[in-house]
Amino acid sequence: MNLHEYQGKQLLSSFGVRIQRGIVAQNAKEAVAAAKKLTEDTGTDWHVIKAQVHAGGRGKGGGVKLAKNLEEVETIAGQIIGMDLVTPQTSAEGKRVHQVLVAEDVYYPGESETSEFYVSVLLNRGTGRNMIMYSTEGGMDIETVAEETPHLIFTEEVDPATGLLPFQARRVAFNLGLSGLAFKEMTKFVTALYTAYVKSDSSLFEINPVLKTSDNKIMAVDAKVSIDDNALYRRKDLAELRDLREESAIEVEAGELGLNYVDLDGNVGCMVNGAGLAMATMDLIKQAGGEPANFLDVGGTADAARVEAAFRIILKDPAVKAILINIFGGIVRCDRVAQGIVDAYKNMGDAIKVPIIVRLQGTNADIAKELIDSSGLDVQSAVQFQEAADKVQAVLS
Ligand code: GDP
Ligand code: MN
């Protein structure tokens, strides 16, 4: 589950990580009030207005702007709230902005230059250990840095038995070229950041940029925070931070029905049990010249109610031209699934207007085929994987 920047920063701050301070606002009036309050607390008259959407690259898309007085705060906040922000990480339609973060300007001039760094915390699946990944090239797209100057990306792996050790935090500060106060600040920053990551059950922290201010403070200017979904049951406080407006409406609805559904761009709807078989089915559809419209794992109990729920979810996508049902009857018997399909189909009346190809394999597959074939419904059955693919191809062409 992803958090908004303002939520991520609050989380970091609660663990003692220094952040660029800010207040979230839902409209231009609230933005002005937020700016006034920040000026009282921080002394600065300049503010950055930052679109709060679940996508990076907001700066490039015009979603991060500097305001030098309260009039500018009001105009800029008014422009950003309600816009469809297009960034390199959104679709061409962009993402609707519902709120902005009004933050203190931290790029003020001073005794030294400001510098931007990149710091992330994530799991290295290869070694099974958390690591801190960091770079001197902050503020840029990290993918570009990885491609063009990979020697400027460093990693620090953490032994779970000891946690992040002081010498490791110092090595981070050293590799980032810091000295004096900024060096000390950076060791404190990464130590607190790592603690926050572990204690909040997060699966990703990406802080880009981490800023060294002109007076040598180290702080998080941006925060991408993802909480491990599997930990949300024990993190009710964090689960409440979920913003459903940022997620695909169909995916949210499918989730409520207990279906594992991912919306895709193609024209063939898929209903499959098991994630691996679902992936293989998507490959097969592509080979047959189609494009999967979704990934859908109905799970172990493919009864009539579940199949019907799955049909309804798949058919919400107007691009769907055919549905391929591919079920392996291991624990669940194929004839029960077949009965589920027939019942669901009948229940839905004429809601189903696209051809359906069903492939049931496993326990009682022959009885299942018989059931489908004698149902009198517009459903084609197949036993072999390839046969199903050929039938999909036939209905598409
Ligand atoms: P992103 O583009 O979605 O990654 O959003 P960021 O939060 O990283 O902000 C984008 C850019 O805005 C940063 O790289 C900074 O260069 C700039 N920025 C952020 N905060 C400030 C600020 O307080 N003052 C100024 N002048 N620029 C800022
Ligand atoms: Mn950023």
Side-chain angles (χ1 to χ4, degrees), residues 33-183:
K36 279 186 187 155
K37 175 85 176 56
L38 278 171
T39 301
E40 276 171 30
D41 294 349
T42 67
T44 171
D45 293 328
W46 289 13
H47 300 95
V48 264
I49 313 297
K50 311 181 78 179
Q52 297 300 287
V53 289
H54 288 187
R58 293 164 303 164
K60 284 181 196 142
V64 178
K65 289 201 167 126
L66 185 65
K68 298 186 178 174
N69 54 51
L70 292 178
E71 289 78 59
E72 287 184 13
V73 168
E74 187 165 7
T75 350
I76 294 171
Q79 284 163 356
I80 294 181
I81 295 171
M83 83 187 283
D84 293 317
L85 180 62
V86 180
T87 85
Q89 293 184 18
T90 66
S91 66
E93 295 88 61
K95 283 204 124 174
R96 178 61 52 89
V97 182
H98 299 286
Q99 48 191 357
V100 290
L101 177 62
V102 180
E104 58 173 334
D105 169 41
V106 286
Y107 287 62
Y108 45 82
E111 63 192 52
S112 67
E113 292 290 308
T114 57
S115 326
E116 293 183 322
F117 305 112
Y118 171 96
V119 180
S120 61
V121 188
L122 69 163
L123 175 68
N124 179 345
R125 290 177 189 277
T127 59
R129 292 182 170 198
N130 292 326
M131 64 180 179
I132 297 175
M133 189 184 281
Y134 61 104
S135 172
T136 49
E137 306 306 287
M140 303 184 34
D141 211 15
I142 196 66
E143 286 78 15
T144 312
V145 181
E147 214 162 280
E148 290 169 8
T149 48
H151 59 284
L152 296 178
I153 298 182
F154 305 92
T155 56
E156 197 63 56
E157 282 218 359
V158 182
D159 186 330
T162 60
L164 183 76
L165 292 168
F167 84 89
Q168 295 185 291
R170 289 199 295 272
R171 185 151 62 194
V172 172
F174 179 79
N175 284 336
L176 291 176
L178 298 171
S179 60
L181 176 60
F183 183 99

Side-chain angles (χ1 to χ4, degrees), residues 28 67 100 113 157 205 224 230 245 304 318 344 361 364-365 371 393:
V100 290
E113 292 290 308
E157 282 218 359
F205 276 4
K224 172 167 186 184
N230 294 315
R245 293 175 299 189
Q361 189 57 279
N364 290 354
L371 249 164
Q393 193 171 26

